[in-house]
Structures are given as structure tokens and as C-alpha cells.
Amino acid sequence: MSARYCVIGNPIAHSKSPQIHAAFAAQTGHDLVYERCLAPLDAFDATVRGLIAQGYCGANVTVPFKLEAAALATRLAPRARAAGAVNTLVFADGEIVGDNTDGAGLVADIVRNAGVSLADKRILLLGAGGAARGALLPLLEQGPRQIVIANRTLATAERLAAGFPAHGGRLAVCGFHGLEGGFDVVVNATSASLAADLPPVPATVFGPGALALDMMYGERPTVFMDFAVRHGARARDGLGMLVEQAAEAFLLWRGVRPDTAALLASLRQA
Ligand code: NDP
């Protein structure tokens, strides 16, 4: 019987994950099915327990359940604990293991796909919500010179930075208007793009040859991407991050990391 996986969310109809994992399964020759699972807003735990009872091997978790997934897990990977959020569950040996592959996916897209090393770089992380929390530890592990977290609500950014005391010397927190100097990499992890909004950052944040990555993706470049390009940066959307976080989840479940280049190219064309 095929191994069964799914992505749990609400809403979930828009998810590209079934298409991505079907392509990975075909590429690696793994026999699996991957479906969408719409969980009622008040029944995430019951939905997961139902999947386990049906013999599912694992699941991805998306909006709005990533925090509930972290609370439900019987064991957390260090990067999931650091993020306080889970996007990948592994059901094995009676345990519900929670992991977070979003940050690793972001780093893989920047380093491998965009060809930008993060070592000794100055990084600006816009936003301090779930996506930013997932990104911070994997970004720090790349050895940047400095990461500045800028958020609309300063206290949220301060709380996020306070969770990483060992990295205090390389972490700074700021409001959007207080940003000074240019950065090598600017990551928009706010949800402003969903409303075609732009975080009010000065155009000077884009240093010479900067990479600007918006975690959002869609048919058109986001307002943030347009803004970045107008001010000399190279812009990238979140589609590569999406595919790379899926490849990391596939690795956790199946022990092999699929090649992502061909799939990413075909998704972009589509
Ligand atoms: P959250 O709701 O957890 O956090 C939202 C963040 O955006 C907060 O920091 C919030 O600031 C800030 N924000 C919201 N609106 C505005 C605005 N108008 N101007 C400035 N800042 C704003 O969302 P997530 O962290 O889960 O998601 C963030 C983005 O990342 C979304 O676009 C999502 O689609 C994308 N994403 C992409 C993934 C991928 O694989 N490509 C994976 C995960 C997320 P405040 O604290 O002040 O409220």
C-alpha cells in the first residue's frame, strides 16, 4: 500500500503541496499519495489523531495551525522549538515529531537557487511573525555578520530576538523608519504583500547588488519586489522557498532530498 501524507490547513484548496510532492515521488520512485486535508478551525488535534489512526506517515501543516502543531507534537526538532511553530509532522513509533522546514527552505533558495552566500553578510528580516520566527535560526546558522529584525510592532521583534541570547551580538531590532545603511539581503517576511501593501522601509536598505526576497508568491511580482527592483536590488518571490521547504519535508519522511531545479522551473512557467 502507498505511504500516505497530506497538508493540513484551513483554507487548503489553494495549496500547491500535492503537486510538488507528486513530482518529488515520481522523480525519486517513491510510492506515496499526498492529499489536501481541510481541518475544522476548532479540531486540529482530532484531525491529526484521525490521520494517525488511518495509518498516515506524516503531514505538512499550514495556516492557521502551525502553533497548534507545535503544541501537539510529542517531540520537537531544535529548529521547530526555536521557531515555536511546526510545518512538518512525522508519525513514527507512537510519536508525533514536529519539525519546521520553512527556514531551511528559505536558506536553500537563497544559497543554492539564487547563488547568494549568507556568510558574513548583513541581512534585514522584515516581520516577526511565524515565518520570520521559522527563518531566524537557519539564517543565523549561515554565519551572517548581522541580522536586523524590523517589525511594525517593535515589541514582537524584541521578543523574537530575546529568544536567541547566544546570538545577541549579531542580532539587532528596529522599527521600519529607524533602519540605517544598506543590506546585502532583505527578506520580506511580513504579510503586507497579501494586501498589496509595502512595509515602509527606506529605499536605502538595498545595498549594492542586494538580493530582495519576498516570502509571498503569486502570478505577478509583489509591490515589495517592484520597489526593490526600482532601487537597484535583484528580486525573488517565495516560490523557491515553498519548493525547498517541501524538499526538506520529503527528506524527513523519505530519507532522500529530491532535486528541485526542474520542478521550480516548470512551476514558474505554469
Ligand atoms: P504572521 O501573521 O505570523 O505575521 C505577519 C507579520 O507581518 C507580522 O510581523 C506583522 O507585523 C507583519 N505585517 C502584517 N501586515 C503588515 C503591514 N501592512 N505592514 C507591515 N507589516 C505587516 O504571518 P506569517 O509569518 O505566517 O507569514 C508572513 C508571510 O510569509 C505571508 O505572506 C506568507 O504567505 C509568507 N510565507 C511564505 C512561505 C513560503 O513557503 N513561501 C512559508 C510561510 C509563510 P505585526 O507584528 O506588527 O502585526
Side-chain angles (χ1 to χ4, degrees):
M1 210 174 88
S2 306
R4 295 171 79 186
Y5 300 89
C6 64
V7 55
I8 311 168
N10 187 333
I12 200 62
H14 66 285
S15 174
K16 291 188 195 302
S17 292
Q19 185 187 349
I20 294 172
H21 282 281
F24 288 164
Q27 181 201 117
T28 56
H30 281 231
D31 180 15
L32 61 87
V33 290
Y34 186 109
E35 303 148 329
R36 293 183 182 87
C37 174
L38 178 70
L41 290 173
D42 60 352
F44 174 73
D45 286 20
T47 301
V48 171
R49 294 194 194 286
L51 294 170
I52 294 170
Q54 290 172 65
Y56 277 72
C57 304
N60 283 130
V61 180
T62 187
V63 176
F65 297 123
K66 289 184 183 181
L67 301 187
E68 281 182 71
L72 179 65
T74 56
R75 189 150 52 87
L76 284 177
R79 59 191 179 182
R81 189 174 301 112
V86 157
N87 81 332
T88 305
L89 294 169
V90 184
F91 309 138
D93 307 323
E95 290 234 64
I96 302 175
V97 183
D99 206 334
N100 191 314
T101 66
D102 281 336
L106 171 71
V107 166
D109 188 51
I110 294 173
V111 175
R112 291 191 208 178
N113 300 342
V116 174
S117 161
L118 294 169
D120 205 31
K121 296 287 171 62
R122 206 167 171 240
I123 301 173
L124 173 59
L125 182 61
L126 302 173
R133 277 164 35 176
L136 193 50
L137 183 62
L139 286 173
L140 282 164
E141 286 172 346
Q142 293 296 304
R145 186 165 10 117
Q146 189 188 34
I147 299 182
V148 176
I149 309 167
N151 195 44
R152 185 174 58 180
T153 310
L154 192 58
T156 314
E158 283 168 347
R159 269 201 304 279
L160 173 57
F164 294 80
H167 300 277
R170 288 187 296 152
L171 266 183
V173 167
C174 193
F176 292 134
H177 295 289
L179 285 164
E180 281 178 3
F183 292 83
D184 303 297
V185 176
V186 181
V187 175
N188 184 12
T190 74
S191 50
S193 298
L194 292 170
D197 227 346
L198 189 65
V201 294
T204 47
V205 295
F206 304 109
L211 175 72
L213 187 147
D214 196 332
M215 286 193 183
M216 197 180 131
Y217 52 87
E219 281 171 20
R220 292 160 191 278
T222 65
V223 280
F224 172 77
M225 291 167 68
D226 285 340
F227 175 70
V229 168
R230 275 203 310 279
H231 294 96
R234 181 155 62 109
R236 203 168 169 80
D237 68 9
L239 188 64
M241 174 183 172
L242 177 78
V243 170
E244 297 297 341
Q245 65 75 29
E248 290 287 325
F250 197 94
L251 172 64
L252 289 174
W253 293 329
R254 311 298 304 175
V256 55
R257 196 182 195 285
D259 182 44
T260 52
L263 175 63
L264 188 52
S266 77
L267 284 173
R268 283 209 188 285
Q269 246 179 3

